[in-house]
Short mmCIF file of all heavy atoms in Angstrom, two decimals:
data_model
loop_
_atom_site.label_atom_id
_atom_site.label_comp_id
_atom_site.label_asym_id
_atom_site.label_seq_id
_atom_site.Cartn_x
_atom_site.Cartn_y
_atom_site.Cartn_z
N SER A 74 -17.47 27.63 5.74
CA SER A 74 -16.55 27.88 6.90
C SER A 74 -16.07 26.58 7.40
O SER A 74 -14.92 26.48 7.84
CB SER A 74 -17.26 28.77 7.88
OG SER A 74 -18.43 28.28 8.34
N TRP A 75 -16.95 25.56 7.62
CA TRP A 75 -16.53 24.36 8.16
C TRP A 75 -15.66 23.66 7.23
O TRP A 75 -14.55 23.09 7.65
CB TRP A 75 -17.68 23.47 8.36
CG TRP A 75 -18.69 23.82 9.48
CD1 TRP A 75 -18.74 25.17 10.03
CD2 TRP A 75 -19.61 23.07 10.06
NE1 TRP A 75 -19.84 25.20 10.94
CE2 TRP A 75 -20.33 23.84 10.93
CE3 TRP A 75 -20.13 21.72 9.94
CZ2 TRP A 75 -21.36 23.34 11.86
CZ3 TRP A 75 -21.14 21.36 10.73
CH2 TRP A 75 -21.77 22.10 11.75
N MET A 76 -15.98 23.56 5.92
CA MET A 76 -15.07 22.83 5.08
C MET A 76 -13.67 23.50 4.90
O MET A 76 -12.69 22.79 4.78
CB MET A 76 -15.75 22.89 3.56
CG MET A 76 -17.05 22.05 3.55
SD MET A 76 -16.87 20.33 3.54
CE MET A 76 -16.28 20.04 2.02
N ARG A 77 -13.69 24.81 4.86
CA ARG A 77 -12.37 25.59 4.85
C ARG A 77 -11.59 25.23 5.99
O ARG A 77 -10.41 24.91 5.90
CB ARG A 77 -12.57 27.11 4.72
CG ARG A 77 -11.43 27.91 4.42
CD ARG A 77 -11.63 29.34 4.10
NE ARG A 77 -12.69 29.93 5.00
CZ ARG A 77 -13.90 30.22 4.58
NH1 ARG A 77 -14.31 29.83 3.36
NH2 ARG A 77 -14.86 30.73 5.40
N SER A 78 -12.15 25.30 7.13
CA SER A 78 -11.52 24.89 8.42
C SER A 78 -10.93 23.54 8.49
O SER A 78 -9.77 23.34 8.83
CB SER A 78 -12.45 25.19 9.63
OG SER A 78 -11.82 24.76 10.83
N TRP A 79 -11.74 22.60 8.01
CA TRP A 79 -11.32 21.17 7.98
C TRP A 79 -10.18 21.01 7.03
O TRP A 79 -9.20 20.26 7.23
CB TRP A 79 -12.42 20.20 7.61
CG TRP A 79 -13.56 20.11 8.69
CD1 TRP A 79 -13.35 20.44 9.99
CD2 TRP A 79 -14.88 19.78 8.53
NE1 TRP A 79 -14.58 20.19 10.66
CE2 TRP A 79 -15.47 19.81 9.69
CE3 TRP A 79 -15.57 19.34 7.36
CZ2 TRP A 79 -16.81 19.42 9.82
CZ3 TRP A 79 -16.96 19.08 7.47
CH2 TRP A 79 -17.64 19.14 8.74
N HIS A 80 -10.30 21.62 5.93
CA HIS A 80 -9.22 21.60 4.91
C HIS A 80 -7.94 22.13 5.41
O HIS A 80 -6.83 21.63 5.24
CB HIS A 80 -9.59 22.35 3.62
CG HIS A 80 -8.69 22.08 2.49
ND1 HIS A 80 -7.73 23.00 2.07
CD2 HIS A 80 -8.51 21.10 1.59
CE1 HIS A 80 -7.00 22.66 1.08
NE2 HIS A 80 -7.46 21.43 0.74
N GLN A 81 -7.97 23.33 6.10
CA GLN A 81 -6.80 23.98 6.66
C GLN A 81 -6.15 23.22 7.73
O GLN A 81 -4.97 23.19 7.96
CB GLN A 81 -7.07 25.39 7.13
CG GLN A 81 -7.39 26.38 5.92
CD GLN A 81 -7.97 27.66 6.38
OE1 GLN A 81 -8.42 27.83 7.49
NE2 GLN A 81 -7.90 28.65 5.44
N GLU A 82 -6.96 22.40 8.39
CA GLU A 82 -6.51 21.48 9.47
C GLU A 82 -5.92 20.22 8.89
O GLU A 82 -5.41 19.35 9.70
CB GLU A 82 -7.64 21.16 10.47
CG GLU A 82 -8.03 22.44 11.36
CD GLU A 82 -9.39 22.13 12.07
OE1 GLU A 82 -9.87 21.02 12.01
OE2 GLU A 82 -9.81 23.06 12.71
N GLY A 83 -5.96 20.02 7.65
CA GLY A 83 -5.41 18.95 7.00
C GLY A 83 -6.25 17.61 6.85
O GLY A 83 -5.79 16.55 6.61
N HIS A 84 -7.52 17.81 7.00
CA HIS A 84 -8.37 16.60 7.03
C HIS A 84 -8.81 16.16 5.54
O HIS A 84 -9.32 15.08 5.41
CB HIS A 84 -9.81 16.97 7.76
CG HIS A 84 -9.57 17.17 9.25
ND1 HIS A 84 -9.25 16.25 10.13
CD2 HIS A 84 -9.60 18.44 9.98
CE1 HIS A 84 -9.12 16.77 11.32
NE2 HIS A 84 -9.28 18.03 11.20
N PHE A 85 -8.57 17.13 4.55
CA PHE A 85 -8.89 16.77 3.30
C PHE A 85 -7.63 16.75 2.36
O PHE A 85 -6.85 17.68 2.43
CB PHE A 85 -9.87 17.76 2.62
CG PHE A 85 -11.17 17.86 3.26
CD1 PHE A 85 -11.79 19.07 3.47
CD2 PHE A 85 -11.89 16.73 3.56
CE1 PHE A 85 -13.03 19.19 4.11
CE2 PHE A 85 -13.21 16.83 4.16
CZ PHE A 85 -13.72 18.00 4.41
N ASP A 86 -7.48 15.70 1.58
CA ASP A 86 -6.53 15.62 0.58
C ASP A 86 -6.96 16.51 -0.56
O ASP A 86 -8.14 16.53 -0.87
CB ASP A 86 -6.29 14.16 0.11
CG ASP A 86 -5.19 13.98 -0.85
OD1 ASP A 86 -5.51 14.25 -2.02
OD2 ASP A 86 -4.10 13.54 -0.45
N PRO A 87 -6.04 17.12 -1.36
CA PRO A 87 -6.48 17.90 -2.59
C PRO A 87 -7.16 17.05 -3.59
O PRO A 87 -7.87 17.59 -4.45
CB PRO A 87 -5.13 18.49 -3.13
CG PRO A 87 -4.09 18.37 -2.02
CD PRO A 87 -4.55 17.22 -1.16
N GLU A 88 -7.00 15.71 -3.51
CA GLU A 88 -7.66 14.82 -4.52
C GLU A 88 -9.07 14.52 -4.11
O GLU A 88 -9.76 13.94 -4.88
CB GLU A 88 -6.85 13.48 -4.54
CG GLU A 88 -5.42 13.72 -5.08
CD GLU A 88 -5.45 13.59 -6.65
OE1 GLU A 88 -6.39 13.08 -7.32
OE2 GLU A 88 -4.40 14.09 -7.20
#
Side-chain angles (χ1 to χ4, degrees):
S74 59
W75 291 19
M76 295 289 284
R77 186 172 42 259
S78 177
W79 292 336
H80 188 261
Q81 289 170 343
E82 292 169 4
H84 296 288
F85 296 137
D86 183 282
E88 295 275 336

